Amino acid sequence: MTKIHLDTDIGGDMDDLCALAMLLKWPDLEITGVTTVSDNQGRRAGYVEYVLNLVGRANIPFAAGADVSGGYYRYELEYPPDEENWPEPMTRRSGEPDKAVSLLKSSIERGAIIVATGPFTNLMLVEKKYPGTLKHANLFLMGGYVFAIPAGYPQWANEMDYNIQVDIHSAQYVLERAANLTLIPVTISCQTALRRAYLPRLAQAGRLGELIVLQAERYARSEHYEQIYGETCSGPPRDIMNFQHDPLACAIALGWRGGVEIETHPLKLEIREGWLCETPDDHGSPTRLVTKIDGNAFNEYWCDILCL
C-alpha cells in the first residue's frame, strides 16, 4: 500500500483542506502522519484534528510543527475567522515542534512520500536535528518559480511563490540538501481551479464535501476570484473559486499523470534583494520540475475523487 505524509499549513487558503480531503478519499492509501507548519499555538493542528474526526480517521497521527513564534516567517500570518470557516468551535492542539519532527522522521523511515504544501520549515527542522535525513526522503514540494506562467493565467511574479518566499532560509536549506525531490511550481499549479460548478456534487459528498462547500463559499465572498481571475484571464474557468495548488501536488506525488510532464533542470539558488530565486544554470543542482499539466483534467479528477 502506498504511504504518504502531509505537511500542511491548513487554515488559510482553503486548498490545504481540499488536499487533505482528497487524501482521505484516495483509495488504497495509508496516511502515515499529518504535520502542521507556520502554526499558531496549535490552531492549524486543531483544524487537522477536526477534519480527521469528521470522517472517522482519528487513528491518523498528527502534530503541530513550527510555530509563528519561532521567527521564521517574513510577515505576520493571518487566519480567516473560525466562525466563518468551521461549523463548530475549534480546539487548539498545541505541542512541541519536536513531536512533528519525530513524526516526519518516522514517515520518512517508513518509506512514505512526503508532500509539503506549506512553508518548508518543518523539513528544515528535521534535517537540522537529524542531518542527512532528507537524502533518504521522497519529497514533493508545492512551490517554485523557474519558468514563466503561460499566457492567459495570472502573471504573478516570483515574490508570489508563498511557500518558498515566506521562509526563504528554510526553503534554501531544504532545496540544497534534499536528494530526491520534485517541485510543483506555482507557475503550474495556477492552471488548476476549484469551480463553482462542482459545489452541488460536493454538497452531496458527505460531511467532508459539505465542509468544502462552506469554505469555498466563504472564500469566494472574501477573495472574489471569479471577478479577479475568471473575468480577466482566458485560462481559468469563469467560475473559479480558488486555485488547487496543494491537491495538485498531492495527486502528482501519488501518480496522477493527466498531461503531466516532469523534467530535470539544473538550478542555481540565490537570494536577491530578500527573495529566493531558482535560476536554470548548467552548474546548478539537478532538480525535477513539473513543467506541464492538463489543468482542466485535474479539476475534474479532484472532484471525482471527492465524490467517490
Side-chain angles (χ1 to χ4, degrees), residues 195-265:
R195 301 185 58 186
R196 185 175 292 277
Y198 299 153
L199 297 193
R201 287 183 66 197
L202 292 170
Q204 301 300 314
R207 299 182 69 189
L208 198 52
E210 292 173 357
L211 178 60
I212 290 172
V213 170
L214 171 71
Q215 292 201 5
E217 291 177 335
R218 186 215 64 83
Y219 201 78
R221 290 193 300 271
S222 65
E223 303 302 321
H224 311 291
Y225 278 17
E226 288 160 296
Q227 292 75 38
I228 295 174
Y229 300 115
E231 295 180 3
T232 64
C233 298
S234 60
R238 291 185 65 85
D239 63 344
I240 181 173
M241 303 180 81
N242 191 24
F243 296 98
Q244 293 286 56
H245 307 285
D246 299 344
L248 176 68
C250 292
I252 290 175
L254 291 172
W256 179 79
R257 291 296 181 266
V260 174
E261 293 184 9
I262 300 176
E263 301 175 356
T264 299
H265 292 272

Side-chain angles (χ1 to χ4, degrees), residues 16-35:
D16 290 88
L17 170 64
C18 292
L20 177 56
M22 184 184 72
L23 296 183
L24 291 167
K25 297 282 285 188
W26 197 282
D28 301 319
L29 179 67
E30 178 184 353
I31 303 174
T32 60
V34 181
T35 44

Side-chain angles (χ1 to χ4, degrees), residues 58-75:
N59 60 312
I60 296 174
F62 69 94
D67 196 88
V68 293
S69 62
Y72 306 108
Y73 304 111
R74 180 181 293 274
Y75 46 75

